[in-house]
Amino acid sequence: MNAIYILWWRQMKRYLRTRSRIFGSIGQPILFLLALGYGLGAVFERAGQGDYLQFLVPGIILQTLLFSGVFWGIQILFDKRFGFLKEMLVAPVPRVKVLLGNALGGTTISIIQALVVFIVAVAFGFRPQNWVLLPLALLIVMALALTLASFGAGLASMVEDFQGFQAINNFLIFPLFFLSSALYPLTNVPDVLRILASINPLSYGVDALRHTMIGGGHFSLPTDLIVIAAVLVICVFFAVNRFNRIQV
Amino acid sequence: MSSKYAVEARDVVKTFGDIKAVDHVNFGVMPGEIFAFLGPNGAGKSTTIKMLTTMLRPTSGQLLLNGHDVTKDQASARKSFGIVFQDPALEEELTAYENMLFHCVLYGVPKAGHKKRIEDLMKLVDLWERRDSLVRTFSGGMRRRLEIARGLLHHPKILFLDEPTLGLDTQTRNVLWDYVRKLSKNEGMTIFFTTHYLDEAEQIAERIAIIDHGKIVAEGTTKQLTEKTKTKTLEQAYLKLTGEGIRDEVSEDFSGLNVRGALLNRRLR
Ligand SMILES: Nc1ncnc2c1ncn2[C@@H]1O[C@H](COP(=O)(O)OP(=O)(O)OP(=O)(O)O)[C@@H](O)[C@H]1O
Ligand SMILES: [Mg+2]
């Protein structure tokens, strides 16, 4: 317990001491929110799909969690590169705990960033449909944050350097994000896109957020929750498996 | 698995692709002994230490710490040693004190003793005044001192020091080795260290192994090594055993270069 706490503590200290990272990682989703929300809002409404800002906010929250989680994974690369990982890996603490402490730090950071984005969205006119469901939305955010931080940690444990991570980012993370239902509804898209988005776990994450934040979604909420739980387990296993193999 | 040694290597091999970094190495270090592991650049010292401390898996062979196989039983192995790495391993965004505290908690130092232990060790390496500075702002030597203090925090049974004194001033080196000697004598701590300062090895080590191109080429006390090579000092014995050429990782294929290195070496002396 103590070990997990101190690992988490160090992640938080580090996060709070690097301001540029805070602004950088919150700035991007907010830019998306404003540019897309205002840029496409009129088109969206004319097409009879309702208020785009309402639709978009759960997607932007997912984006925050995805990029924050995966970029947090870079921390492991930094620690490898600058040596601190060794200090953690030879400690008399099971690797699983080392990973867990670090991942909880990453998860906390993601959740904080998602909350900031949520508050900004509310300031720009976003209105959750049913405040009573928000605690459930928060639970979903937590599960997604842990899933995506584990995913990031697993990926970072696999690659050797920053170039490798950059490649993963371009060829895996961006497509995952754009080929999900985060930015557009799946009702009127071409079949290919709908199929791709339907096998993309991220779509279920954002769908669950829509159910709980604005009401209504593409899949059913129970389906979403089952997929989220399954992917959470898979990502945690993936991270533990990869992290156990790290050699420095 | 029983072993009378605190640290033991049995026929250990480690390859990286084509490079044989460690080549059928055998040695044993008695509990409480101060053991120096010497060899030219790229000889395989750090690789051996990394395998002993569970950071690398051997390609073949066995490594034991207090009789525990480090590859099979990593958890108990990790409980028995402390290490100061050759390369830096500090968190730059934490202060010196926070780095020490992090280590105390992660390495299970009893909470009641944290403050005192951290203060004592930071005073030993003369960093107590700078405890609240971020490590990012430290000089190379200050970082080194902090790492050494950190490695001593949790009183391990076996302490690995991979070139601990690299870049340290003479005063700090003397303080460090006095302290290490005391640890070995009073607490029976086993010390396994590497260094390129042969005078240091001669003064501190009770026993020495010399590794070259991944193979152990000699082992014994300074006296045994000088007798064996018919030389007067450890440095002469060392040069006789490992050759005078500047160590290049592919030096065998470039004997011409080797000769030039030897000439250069001789001229410098
Ligand atoms: N991760 C790695 N990948 C490939 N080769 C490696 C790796 N680590 C070490 N080596 C090679 O293994 C050999 C032994 O390296 P090692 O670091 O053990 O040397 P050393 O004795 O500690 O040298 P030095 O005195 O310079 O620290 C070298 O040829 C080195 O290039
Ligand atoms: Mg080395």
Side-chain angles (χ1 to χ4, degrees):
Chain A
M1 189 57 224
N2 275 340
I4 291 176
Y5 167 73
I6 201 79
L7 290 158
W8 176 87
W9 170 86
R10 172 253 172 175
Q11 289 280 351
M12 298 314 290
K13 284 256 166 193
R14 210 190 141 90
Y15 176 65
L16 296 173
R17 277 178 192 161
T18 39
R19 300 267 155 72
S20 58
R21 218 175 111 200
I22 304 183
F23 290 116
S25 47
I26 295 177
Q28 193 200 28
I30 290 177
L31 180 71
F32 263 66
L33 181 71
L34 300 184
L36 292 180
Y38 288 107
L40 296 178
V43 185
F44 196 80
E45 232 160 279
R46 221 170 300 137
Q49 301 271 14
D51 187 343
Y52 188 47
L53 187 74
Q54 291 292 110
F55 178 84
L56 186 61
V57 168
I60 297 298
I61 286 182
L62 181 88
Q63 180 195 6
T64 312
L65 297 175
L66 174 66
F67 285 90
S68 161
V70 172
F71 277 107
W72 171 78
I74 292 188
Q75 178 74 51
I76 290 183
L77 273 182
F78 265 99
D79 289 343
K80 209 177 192 178
R81 184 82 175 64
F82 296 103
F84 195 63
L85 190 62
K86 288 180 288 199
E87 159 81 353
M88 297 188 275
L89 290 185
V90 299
V93 172
R95 287 246 171 126
V96 176
K97 274 196 184 176
V98 175
L99 176 67
L100 188 66
N102 279 301
L104 287 180
T107 305
T108 309
I109 293 167
S110 290
I111 293 171
I112 292 173
Q113 298 192 157
L115 287 177
V116 172
V117 169
F118 176 77
I119 290 165
V120 171
V122 170
F124 279 94
F126 174 74
R127 290 293 170 266
Q129 195 208 24
N130 187 351
W131 291 90
V132 181
L133 281 179
L134 280 191
L136 181 56
L138 184 62
L139 273 180
I140 293 169
V141 163
M142 288 175 178
L144 292 174
L146 182 58
T147 306
L148 294 166
S150 307
F151 186 55
L155 290 179
S157 311
M158 281 171 70
V159 298
E160 285 297 318
D161 51 20
F162 296 103
Q163 278 82 6
F165 205 89
Q166 198 60 43
I168 286 184
N169 205 30
N170 288 339
F171 294 105
L172 186 66
I173 305 305
F174 274 98
L176 262 180
F177 175 60
F178 285 109
L179 299 178
S180 76
S181 59
L183 300 178
Y184 43 82
L186 297 182
T187 37
N188 289 322
V189 296
D191 283 344
V192 187
L193 208 50
R194 183 167 41 242
I195 291 167
L196 283 176
S198 302
I199 55 174
N200 181 347
L202 288 183
S203 298
Y204 296 83
V206 73
D207 206 60
L209 289 179
R210 289 210 174 102
H211 275 295
T212 48
M213 291 172 72
I214 58 169
H218 187 77
F219 315 104
S220 77
L221 185 59
T223 314
D224 293 337
L225 296 180
I226 289 168
V227 174
I228 289 173
V231 175
L232 170 65
V233 171
I234 292 171
C235 283
V236 169
F237 267 102
F238 169 63
V240 171
N241 179 287
R242 287 293 118 194
F243 197 73
N244 267 330
R245 279 158 207 254
I246 288 192
Q247 301 198 353
V248 190
Chain B
M1 195 78 47
S2 76
S3 166
K4 63 176 173 166
Y5 296 113
V7 182
E8 189 181 0
R10 293 184 184 164
D11 207 28
V12 173
V13 175
K14 177 72 190 178
T15 53
F16 296 104
D18 295 337
I19 302 174
K20 246 192 183 168
V22 174
D23 194 357
H24 297 282
V25 158
N26 288 284
F27 59 76
V29 182
M30 295 299 282
E33 196 171 30
I34 303 185
F35 185 84
F37 199 44
L38 308 180
N41 290 143
K45 304 181 296 294
S46 296
T47 305
T48 305
I49 290 187
K50 281 181 185 166
M51 288 189 287
L52 283 166
T53 54
T54 73
M55 300 221 305
L56 278 179
R57 280 171 211 280
T59 308
S60 67
Q62 254 186 343
L63 299 129
L64 308 171
L65 293 184
N66 294 329
H68 296 286
D69 187 319
V70 302
T71 21
K72 294 206 186 100
D73 192 359
Q74 299 196 330
S76 15
R78 287 193 193 122
K79 288 201 179 98
S80 58
F81 69 81
I83 176 168
V84 174
F85 302 100
Q86 179 175 355
D87 309 317
L90 294 165
E91 167 57 279
E92 312 226 319
E93 297 296 334
L94 292 184
T95 65
Y97 190 90
E98 287 168 346
N99 264 285
M100 298 289 273
L101 184 67
F102 180 91
H103 188 93
C104 279
V105 178
L106 199 60
Y107 286 69
V109 177
K111 190 161 183 201
H114 285 179
K115 270 215 171 111
K116 174 122 188 12
R117 236 170 122 73
I118 295 177
E119 186 174 344
D120 288 350
L121 283 164
M122 288 187 83
K123 282 186 172 154
L124 179 80
V125 296
D126 201 18
L127 281 177
W128 183 241
E129 304 295 309
R130 294 294 303 272
R131 61 187 176 277
D132 291 327
S133 304
L134 289 181
V135 170
R136 178 152 55 82
T137 65
F138 276 16
S139 75
M142 289 162 75
R143 286 168 200 232
R144 202 70 201 139
R145 271 151 44 199
L146 182 62
E147 291 207 64
I148 289 168
R150 186 180 68 177
L152 299 171
L153 268 177
H154 67 289
H155 273 266
K157 286 231 170 54
I158 305 169
L159 183 62
F160 292 97
L161 302 164
D162 197 354
E163 295 191 35
T165 51
L166 185 74
L168 290 186
D169 55 44
T170 315
Q171 293 88 331
T172 315
R173 273 159 66 179
N174 292 341
V175 169
L176 167 71
W177 287 124
D178 281 348
Y179 190 81
V180 165
R181 253 204 218 112
K182 233 184 277 161
L183 284 176
S184 149
K185 207 164 131 217
N186 300 346
E187 304 187 18
M189 196 183 280
T190 309
I191 313 286
F192 185 110
F193 75 99
T194 75
T195 181
H196 289 295
Y197 305 112
L198 295 174
D199 52 326
E200 216 168 73
E202 188 164 354
Q203 284 167 33
I204 314 295
E206 291 157 7
R207 214 150 52 81
I208 294 165
I210 298 178
I211 183 172
D212 194 11
H213 294 301
K215 292 194 173 82
I216 305 270
V217 292
E219 206 210 296
T221 59
T222 299
K223 194 154 166 282
Q224 287 166 342
L225 292 176
T226 48
E227 272 168 14
K228 187 178 159 196
T229 52
K230 303 193 175 57
T231 49
K232 288 200 194 70
T233 65
L234 179 62
E235 178 162 341
Q236 288 167 354
Y238 173 86
L239 288 173
K240 199 148 185 185
L241 286 161
T242 58
E244 303 222 341
I246 288 181
R247 202 41 57 116
D248 193 299
E249 251 130 64
V250 281
S251 55
E252 277 163 307
D253 306 334
F254 290 95
S255 33
L257 205 130
N258 232 344
V259 171
R260 268 199 8 237
L263 287 176
L264 191 75
N265 244 354
R266 214 157 287 156
R267 214 170 310 145
L268 286 176
R269 247 171 317 113

